[in-house]
Amino acid sequence: MTEPIISIDRVNHYFGSGNLKKQILFSIHADVDPGEVVIMTGPSGSGKTTLLTLIGALRSTQEGSLKVLGEELRNSTEKQRVALRRNIGYIFQSHNLLKSLKAKQNVMMALELHTHLSSQEQADMAEEMLKAVGLEDRMNYYPDELSGGQKQRVAIARALVSNPKLVLADEPTAALDKKSGRDVVEIMRSLAKDRGSAIVMVTHDNRILDVADRLIHMEDGELESYDLETQAPPERAIALG
Amino acid sequence: MLFAIPLAWLQLKRERMRLFIAIAGIGFAVFLMFVQLGFRDALFNSAIRLHENVNGDIMLISTRSNSLISIQSFPQRRLYGVLGAEGVDKISPIYVGFGLWKNPFWEGLPKSQTRQIMILGIDPNDDVIGVSGFDANARSLIRLEDQIFFDKKSRAEFGPIPAKFSELEKKNELITTEIADRKVTIAGLFELGASFGADGNTITSEANFLRIFTRRDKGDINIGVVKLKEGADLYKTLEAVKKSLPGKYTVNPTLTPSEAREDFVVGEMRVLTKKSFIEVERKYWQNSTAIGFIFTLGTVIGFLVGIIIVYQILYTDVTDHLAEYATLKAMGYKNRYLLKIVFQEALILSIMGYIPGCILASFMYTGTRNATALPLIMTTERSILVLFLAITMCLVSGAIAVRKVQDADPADIF
């Protein structure tokens, strides 16, 4: 059996301190295998995003054990987390592209961290990636000159160009219409499958739940998991999702 | 320091309007610093212009003198006493006085007809003032009664003397006017330049000087100029001069030993080498008047204005890019990368703002030089100093603005 890419064991998380201390996550337990596409649903304020920022090494884990790509994040230092982030691809709710850079340069920003690549290699990889997301004729456009769907496709190219083993996406379709939202997740899924990257996606958009291998539902800081191949998603998850 | 993608420059370039405003603001601060430092140096340089042109190696002045504009007199016999000292070749007196000059081409009110001018009285036998236009022929002309030489770089308020002089010269006529109610004739022109202390200068013989200043006595001189014999050692001669003067030998305790060798007091006489004669005048304007302080303060204000402008620009820039910076952090960029971007932007801005500021200041220098006869020039040292100040200014602003980068928390943008 392969080692899971994310292994979450009894993770609790709190915000605030003293009298205002509030528990957000309650004894979360979950595993994600390499190459798996997992969609996390749940109402606003249920703690999905908090869990995603923990997995993404943007916060330090307070209680329990959280291993991402074999790295324990409990009591991790800022330096360890920065190093880990370089091996994770991120796709944000808003595209968060750098406005001053062209599409190709934005994708290259993800490669600059990998110093063994020459700038020519970086440019070639970025071009190839933009072709894969169908933007070969938009490489030298600034984000302002692209549509919402195109921007999010650049963001996907940026997240995937360094071949990360794990891609995290926080409501990537929230700002998109039905058609472009669908296109974006399809591209994301097929590219991730080609490269063997696992995807953890948080979404409210129940039109795209079928791209997942597995659905997990978060409610009031607790997780429920469903395997889409063996059982149908519960009505509740869809309704709330 | 350099990356495959020069993000700092690309970000600045993307916001053209902001870049333009930043350059204008920094350029203004640079210009302000150039103006202040330029005027300060011009003041000091104009104040020592005469000192630099006195032909002598050792100067004697009264201990009660602070600067040229308030120079006190001393008995000429002290100077004669020095003549016997080993190494001394020649001595020569200079009389300095200020009197009201009457503009011979006065156009009427509201302009004033009279203005204070500096008059130097010299021995026509000695080549003691080496300025352009004042040669042996000039020295022989001032031997004549009430004949003076006028500085053509004097301020325009003294009248259109240089233009009228060459006009009348063709008709073999000379300009006549009055100094301190004494009728004098302008025999020729020389070139020295106005200073903050004296708006205009004239040179004449000591005899004519005493005719103008009737209350001054012969032998009551202001500067004693000593010339050394060919090959004589300056410091040995200073020792000999020290011995030849009556009274107690003292030095200013704030001077360094090497300065004290060139600037000491014996009795009522202060003995200076030409170098320290210039230095004493410069220090007077620099340290003992408000003027040096005011221009230094002006420079500091220019510097602070620059810091505020650059800080505003950088702060706005960081705020605008906060989400982008947080994204970069989430991608695994270190804080250090973002700090570098802010400092690179600061550095780029300082250099881009310096160039127009420097060009503008050069034009202003030329304009002011023509209008005021002050020696205002763009020196290499000052341009390097201001460039250095501009870079420091931008880096200080950068150092304040980077604190904002800490706000780019990737956990918040998810």
Side-chain angles (χ1 to χ4, degrees), chain B residues 29-65:
Chain B
V30 166
F31 176 73
L32 205 60
M33 290 193 281
F34 266 122
V35 169
Q36 300 292 331
L37 288 174
F39 274 117
R40 196 190 66 168
D41 291 354
L43 159 69
F44 298 150
N45 288 340
S46 77
I48 60 166
R49 238 180 332 206
L50 174 69
H51 300 63
E52 281 177 327
N53 288 305
V54 172
N55 290 332
D57 305 297
I58 298 173
M59 311 290 160
L60 264 57
I61 57 172
S62 160
T63 49
R64 293 172 294 135
S65 296

Side-chain angles (χ1 to χ4, degrees), chain A residues 80-127:
Chain A
Q80 286 172 311
R81 279 183 277 135
V82 168
L84 180 62
R85 286 177 205 165
R86 297 183 177 193
N87 297 312
I88 301 176
Y90 289 85
I91 298 158
F92 305 94
Q93 182 170 352
S94 63
H95 55 85
N96 280 338
L97 296 175
L98 274 62
K99 287 193 290 286
S100 326
L101 299 185
K102 293 170 184 170
K104 191 167 102 183
Q105 291 171 320
N106 260 296
V107 177
M108 285 169 72
M109 283 305 285
L111 293 169
E112 279 220 356
L113 290 162
H114 302 268
T115 44
H116 61 277
L117 295 169
S118 73
S119 33
Q120 190 52 51
E121 283 172 312
Q122 291 180 12
D124 291 346
M125 286 172 77
E127 278 172 29

Side-chain angles (χ1 to χ4, degrees), chain A residues 49 53 58-59 82 85-86 90 92 96-101 105 108-110 112-113 142 144 158 170, chain B residues 3-5 7 10-11 14 320-321 323-324 327-334 337 410-414:
Chain A
T49 296
T53 56
L58 302 181
R59 295 177 197 281
V82 168
R85 286 177 205 165
R86 297 183 177 193
Y90 289 85
F92 305 94
N96 280 338
L97 296 175
L98 274 62
K99 287 193 290 286
S100 326
L101 299 185
Q105 291 171 320
M108 285 169 72
M109 283 305 285
E112 279 220 356
L113 290 162
Y142 286 101
D144 291 351
R158 180 172 68 176
D170 189 16
Chain B
F3 306 99
I5 298 172
L7 188 57
L10 293 173
Q11 283 187 346
R14 190 83 184 128
D320 282 2
H321 293 109
E324 297 176 10
T327 308
L328 288 177
K329 275 196 196 171
M331 285 162 66
Y333 279 93
K334 292 181 186 142
Y337 178 86
D412 290 341
I413 59 151
F414 243 127

Side-chain angles (χ1 to χ4, degrees), chain B residues 118-142:
Chain B
M118 184 165 80
I119 301 107
L120 302 174
I122 61 157
D123 183 343
N125 298 313
D126 298 331
D127 179 18
V128 74
I129 291 175
V131 291
S132 148
F134 195 71
D135 49 14
N137 182 44
R139 287 202 304 278
S140 65
L141 283 172
I142 57 170

Side-chain angles (χ1 to χ4, degrees), chain B residues 11-281:
Chain B
Q11 283 187 346
L12 288 174
K13 203 178 69 170
R14 190 83 184 128
E15 294 280 345
R16 271 171 212 285
M17 198 60 204
R18 186 182 300 163
L19 180 63
F20 175 76
I21 293 167
I23 290 173
I26 298 162
F28 176 73
V30 166
F31 176 73
L32 205 60
M33 290 193 281
F34 266 122
V35 169
Q36 300 292 331
L37 288 174
F39 274 117
R40 196 190 66 168
D41 291 354
L43 159 69
F44 298 150
N45 288 340
S46 77
I48 60 166
R49 238 180 332 206
L50 174 69
H51 300 63
E52 281 177 327
N53 288 305
V54 172
N55 290 332
D57 305 297
I58 298 173
M59 311 290 160
L60 264 57
I61 57 172
S62 160
T63 49
R64 293 172 294 135
S65 296
N66 293 318
S67 77
L68 188 66
I69 57 158
S70 63
I71 199 153
Q72 302 297 312
S73 61
F74 64 90
Q76 196 174 2
R77 65 172 188 279
R78 295 274 172 266
L79 187 59
Y80 287 131
V82 170
L83 188 57
E86 176 81 37
V88 173
D89 182 28
K90 270 198 233 164
I91 53 160
S92 189
I94 297 180
Y95 291 81
V96 181
F98 290 87
L100 281 183
W101 166 276
K102 195 168 171 185
N103 178 358
F105 308 102
W106 189 44
E107 290 153 14
L109 289 168
K111 287 188 177 172
S112 166
Q113 190 178 12
T114 55
R115 197 174 176 91
Q116 181 157 285
I117 199 164
M118 184 165 80
I119 301 107
L120 302 174
I122 61 157
D123 183 343
N125 298 313
D126 298 331
D127 179 18
V128 74
I129 291 175
V131 291
S132 148
F134 195 71
D135 49 14
N137 182 44
R139 287 202 304 278
S140 65
L141 283 172
I142 57 170
R143 282 174 199 275
L144 303 171
E145 193 174 328
D146 294 328
Q147 296 257 35
I148 61 151
F149 262 64
F150 181 80
D151 179 4
K152 62 178 163 191
K153 287 276 189 73
S154 298
R155 286 190 59 90
E157 282 81 353
F158 293 100
I161 310 294
K164 292 279 184 188
F165 183 84
S166 43
E167 197 184 308
L168 291 170
E169 203 177 23
K170 289 172 199 145
K171 295 186 255 171
N172 264 331
E173 284 174 44
L174 290 173
I175 301 167
T176 316
T177 185
E178 283 171 27
I179 299 177
D181 297 330
R182 174 94 191 174
K183 229 183 177 112
V184 293
T185 306
I186 300 170
L189 300 174
F190 66 96
E191 198 176 326
L192 183 64
S195 73
F196 279 68
D199 292 335
N201 310 298
T202 56
I203 306 178
T204 188
S205 65
E206 51 184 323
N208 286 335
F209 182 92
L210 295 169
R211 284 182 188 116
I212 295 167
F213 297 98
T214 47
R215 275 191 249 164
R216 291 280 295 264
D217 295 324
K218 183 166 167 57
D220 215 13
I221 66 170
N222 297 98
I223 305 169
V225 182
V226 178
K227 270 189 213 171
L228 297 196
K229 278 184 185 138
E230 191 112 351
D233 181 77
L234 179 64
Y235 295 106
K236 278 183 190 154
T237 316
L238 281 169
E239 279 300 308
V241 166
K242 185 163 95 185
K243 279 176 198 141
S244 66
L245 287 167
K248 205 172 136 239
Y249 165 78
T250 44
V251 289
N252 180 345
T254 62
L255 295 178
T256 65
S258 64
E259 284 171 335
R261 280 177 86 187
E262 303 191 9
D263 176 3
F264 55 84
V265 170
V266 184
E268 54 174 16
M269 295 313 307
R270 187 168 182 182
V271 181
L272 299 159
T273 60
K274 185 174 174 183
K275 197 178 112 212
S276 43
F277 182 57
I278 295 168
E279 211 44 46
V280 164
E281 185 75 19

Side-chain angles (χ1 to χ4, degrees), chain B residues 32-33 36 293-307 389:
Chain B
L32 205 60
M33 290 193 281
Q36 300 292 331
F293 175 77
I294 286 167
F295 286 115
T296 311
L297 188 71
T299 312
V300 172
I301 289 170
F303 186 77
L304 292 179
V305 165
I307 287 182
L389 285 173

